[in-house]
Amino acid sequence: MYLAIDIGGTYTKYGYYQSNGICLQKNMIPTVKTNKETFYHTLKTLITKEVEGIAVSMPGLIDSQRGYIHAITLLPYFNETDFCQEFSSLTHLPVTLQNDAKCAALGEMWKGSLKNVDNGFMIVLGSGIGGTYILHEKIVESKHYKIGELGSFLIPTSNGYSNFGKEYNAVKLIHDLSDILKCPDDGQIVFQQLTSSHQAMQYFEHYCLQIATMIYNLDYLLDLDIVTIGGGISQQPFLIQTIQKQFHDLRKQYKEDEHEPVIKACQFQNEANLLGALYHFHTKKGG
């Protein structure tokens, strides 16, 4: 049995898996943001005597072969950390580490919406925005681990510049819509009430237009066959439908060719990260 862990901005999801990807049990806990020692201690409590290895998914610039974190905005105390070596020495178990957006793509390539895809891109909408480029059925890696990190793209704002992921992540979207709707800061409730407010719908459509514009530009850069949307919010069909509509409207107005990539939700939503972490573990460990 293997323990797969996905570190998120609010929650850390985890699951116990067989090697074939069958989930035996999964749950979540609040993400530890205080210090490295408490973080490691909390993860150690998830280990049972049946666990043979630990597969971790985490945002940031990560050397997945070495298991080294170069930079992570979410948990800055992990910047420049040999994560796998440290955690393995504490647990006496093999540990692997991969960027969360790449894990999501690996999970979908293994069992979901990106299986047998030759040229595609996965966008993960969560507490930030992650991206992964797939070419010839493989994730494209780069020397400095930055390829696909569209959340770091600079975009103009009224105050200068900001990051695409900071301005258009899913957590901020739900929070801002809950303020407009005067409802709890909960995605399910927000989407239930969304169409009742003209102001909320305008804000939501603007958000989807920004995602669609990014996809439009990525397609001209990479000539994509498919773009999949991941993260917990991807389970909302209205989000996917609105992004699709905004993309098609852009194409009608500005298109220069006939090809359009397919835009769809990923199959495993936020479980894709756990599946991809497990797949990376077995690929790296050869098991």
Side-chain angles (χ1 to χ4, degrees), residues 57-121:
S57 160
M58 184 183 289
L61 300 181
I62 291 170
D63 180 344
S64 61
Q65 292 305 307
R66 182 179 167 191
Y68 187 89
I69 304 170
H70 288 276
I72 174 171
T73 305
L74 174 65
L75 303 172
Y77 56 76
F78 270 125
N79 287 338
E80 303 297 336
T81 296
D82 204 334
F83 179 89
C84 286
Q85 183 181 54
E86 290 185 356
F87 198 37
S88 184
S89 67
L90 290 172
T91 61
H92 307 292
L93 289 168
V95 177
T96 58
L97 176 68
Q98 177 60 287
N99 170 270
D100 57 349
K102 290 182 173 63
C103 280
L106 285 170
E108 292 293 315
M109 290 167 68
W110 185 20
K111 292 179 174 289
S113 61
L114 291 170
K115 191 172 183 179
N116 301 321
V117 167
D118 183 66
N119 187 13
F121 201 94

Side-chain angles (χ1 to χ4, degrees), residues 35-49:
N35 57 72
K36 187 189 297 188
E37 291 71 24
T38 305
F39 180 97
Y40 282 142
H41 173 76
T42 302
L43 293 194
K44 279 185 68 177
T45 65
L46 305 178
I47 300 170
T48 67
K49 62 181 181 180

Side-chain angles (χ1 to χ4, degrees), residues 131-151:
T132 304
Y133 178 40
I134 297 99
L135 183 63
H136 305 320
E137 301 184 38
K138 292 182 179 179
I139 285 180
V140 179
E141 301 275 12
S142 62
K143 181 179 179 180
H144 301 105
Y145 319 105
K146 295 193 291 186
I147 196 165
E149 291 293 333
L150 56 87

Side-chain angles (χ1 to χ4, degrees), residues 25-40:
Q25 180 186 349
K26 61 181 177 179
N27 208 333
M28 66 175 66
I29 56 174
T31 296
V32 175
K33 299 182 180 180
T34 50
N35 57 72
K36 187 189 297 188
E37 291 71 24
T38 305
F39 180 97
Y40 282 142

